[in-house]
Amino acid sequence: MTTPSPATVCIVGAGPAGLYAADALIRKRPDARIDMLDRLPTPFGLVRAGVAPDHQGTKAIVRQFARTLGRPGVRFLGHVAVGRDVTLAELRDAYDAVILATGAPEDRRLGIPGEDLAGVYGSGAFVGWYNGHPDHAGLAPRLTGPGVAVVGNGNVALDIARVLAKTPAEMTGADLTADAARTIAAAPLTDIHILGRRGPLEASFTPAELAEMGTLTRAVPVVDPAALPDAAGAWDDPKEQALKDKTLEILRGLAARPAASAAPVRVHFHFRVAPLAVLGADGAVTGLRLARTRVEDGRAVVTEETTDLPVATVVSAIGYRCAALAGAPLDDRGVVANTDGTVAPGLFVVGWSKRGPSGVIPTNRADSMAVAGRVLAWLDAQAAGKPGPDALDRLLVARGVRAVSREDWDRLDAAEVARGAAAGRPREKFTSVAAMLAALDAAPGAPDTAATQTADA
């Protein structure tokens, strides 16, 4: 009797959504062969490059993800980019199922005059810079001070403000890159402004992140008591009610703090303001023009009342979009067009690529498990037999692609940790693909030969 061929699955993207999907699949189909591709040599996606460097507790989830990568049947192939090294069509031909888990890496633009001036950055690029993402490590942001505006009322906006406001001593134990640490420490910042289009109850930051702003050594939060409502109002969802009550409680506590005029750094919370234009001179930012808003039916409506905020840097933290990929069109929301995670027969999508940039890391677990269920149903209805990894390996060898294995990543991980230990940090990241591949060549256990593809910096 012929033994049935194991199902083959390719997951494009080795971040949280993809790893949760891989774990769900391999638990139900332990005989499956699952390849996880990532365009970078490193796994873990936004846990590595998006979570704030001083939130090491959150980043500890990589230990769970590392166990998934180490499970029999799961293979990591880093430095393999779909669209550059292999096409989506080729993957669909080679595997029984393909799952897109590529996230939403592109910053949404403000869409206002002046946003192309020097000193304006999207939060994805800015956070990627201080987290050492190869796409953004060379950003060299203009932090000439004394003012910085962060547009957005979510946790990312708070992360940016907090990282800029903290002292070097407060960043001890963080994996902030050496370049970012030097730049931020030298920046003559005195006023950081966090701007929200709607009111404090519509803000999307979590209470834990908000409360953290009141614990900083040299920075003092500034909240106008008049901007806060008397009560959080009535919400249908008890969890939402508790969240709003806690948010208002924390904001009231921050507003009641002593005057912050003498503090070295002040973090101002502005509610019901919308950016109208970035002001500049000689090609660089000098200010941000704001309009007062009023909230009607949950939407911010711009009024004619304006004010100019003197800042030299503007960081927009207003969301992200997916990157276009041939064979996976985006819908009008900027995500891969799908129905409950199904894009086309045998093609699926999870995470931010599926639903947009919302939720925290664990939010992806339930989403990925639900889509994994649909993938399993698809596999059960098909006659497995596509070659999967064998076909991909032949393509990569023929094209001279240097794929980075999990064992390679383990060596790279060890090298980063060793570099960090010398500087008193959890790790010192390699911030270019070229440096990562060079480190692999120099690391103990490196192969005698390597593929010939030129690394992208």
Side-chain angles (χ1 to χ4, degrees):
M1 182 175 179
T2 303
T3 303
S5 299
T8 60
V9 179
C10 181
I11 301 177
V12 182
L19 284 157
Y20 280 129
D23 187 66
L25 291 172
I26 203 67
R27 287 178 184 275
K28 293 291 187 179
R29 293 286 292 265
D31 64 325
R33 301 174 68 190
I34 301 174
D35 279 349
M36 300 201 68
L37 313 186
D38 202 286
R39 67 184 183 88
L40 295 179
T42 55
F44 309 138
L46 283 181
V47 179
R48 176 179 169 91
V51 172
D54 57 337
H55 282 181
Q56 290 297 305
T58 303
K59 293 195 175 195
I61 199 170
V62 300
R63 291 196 287 267
Q64 174 186 332
F65 292 151
R67 289 194 293 271
T68 298
L69 286 181
R71 291 176 69 92
V74 178
R75 187 173 68 148
F76 173 67
L77 293 171
H79 193 231
V80 177
V82 178
R84 181 191 68 192
D85 302 317
V86 62
T87 68
L88 180 57
E90 288 171 331
L91 294 178
R92 295 186 67 188
D93 286 342
Y95 291 83
D96 295 315
V98 175
I99 303 174
L100 301 177
T102 50
E106 297 183 355
D107 281 303
R108 283 183 56 197
R109 291 175 61 83
L110 288 167
I112 60 176
E115 72 173 314
D116 292 320
L117 290 168
V120 181
Y121 310 97
S123 59
F126 197 84
V127 170
W129 164 68
Y130 62 58
N131 267 323
H133 192 293
D135 289 352
H136 308 295
L139 187 69
R142 184 175 180 269
L143 294 173
T144 56
V148 174
V150 184
V151 183
N153 256 191
N155 281 348
V156 174
L158 292 182
D159 284 345
I160 293 167
R162 187 184 67 254
V163 169
L164 290 176
K166 277 190 169 183
T167 65
E170 287 177 287
M171 293 302 286
T172 300
D175 62 348
L176 187 72
T177 66
D179 171 63
R182 288 190 298 267
T183 300
I184 293 171
L189 305 180
T190 60
D191 292 274
I192 300 169
H193 304 270
I194 301 174
L195 313 174
R197 294 175 62 91
R198 298 182 294 168
L201 295 181
E202 289 82 22
S204 59
F205 34 65
T206 57
E209 291 259 1
L210 180 60
E212 197 173 353
M213 299 303 293
T215 66
L216 306 182
T217 300
R218 64 170 180 166
V220 176
V222 180
V223 179
D224 180 3
L228 305 179
D230 294 333
W235 300 79
D236 294 335
D237 184 347
K239 291 183 179 179
E240 190 74 9
Q241 184 72 59
L243 174 66
K244 300 304 181 183
D245 289 340
K246 188 63 177 178
T247 296
L248 184 55
E249 176 189 339
I250 294 169
L251 285 170
R252 284 175 176 164
L254 298 179
R257 294 171 65 112
S261 57
V265 178
R266 294 167 293 277
V267 181
H268 306 263
F269 286 81
H270 302 266
F271 300 106
R272 302 184 187 90
V273 292
L276 288 183
V278 181
L279 310 177
D282 300 322
V285 175
T286 59
L288 184 62
R289 179 158 297 159
L290 303 173
R292 176 63 58 187
T293 68
R294 63 177 183 271
V295 179
E296 296 180 358
D297 297 325
R299 297 178 62 84
V301 179
V302 174
T303 71
E304 295 183 357
E305 181 184 349
T306 64
T307 185
D308 291 349
L309 194 66
V311 295
T313 309
V314 176
V315 183
S316 63
I318 59 172
Y320 312 97
R321 288 179 57 89
C322 296
L325 179 65
L330 305 184
D331 64 17
D332 56 7
R333 298 173 300 155
V335 301
V336 176
N338 71 93
T339 302
D340 295 330
T342 299
V343 179
L347 179 61
F348 305 86
V349 62
V350 294
W352 283 10
S353 304
K354 167 183 173 282
R355 69 180 191 277
S358 63
V360 293
I361 290 170
T363 307
N364 289 296
R365 184 174 184 272
D367 179 79
S368 293
M369 289 181 67
V371 176
R374 295 182 180 89
V375 176
L376 290 167
W378 164 261
L379 294 174
D380 288 343
Q382 308 304 308
K386 290 188 178 181
D390 299 332
L392 179 61
D393 288 349
R394 288 193 293 270
L395 282 173
L396 297 182
V397 169
R399 293 168 184 173
V401 177
R402 177 177 183 169
V404 172
S405 68
R406 183 184 63 81
E407 291 77 16
D408 291 332
W409 158 243
D410 288 344
R411 289 193 291 270
L412 192 61
D413 181 37
E416 289 188 341
V417 170
R419 281 158 46 100
R425 289 191 287 272
R427 69 176 61 242
E428 181 62 46
K429 295 172 184 171
F430 296 103
T431 59
S432 76
V433 172
M436 293 175 189
L437 298 183
L440 286 175
D441 288 340
D448 294 331
T449 60
T452 58
Q453 177 171 334
T454 301
D456 53 324

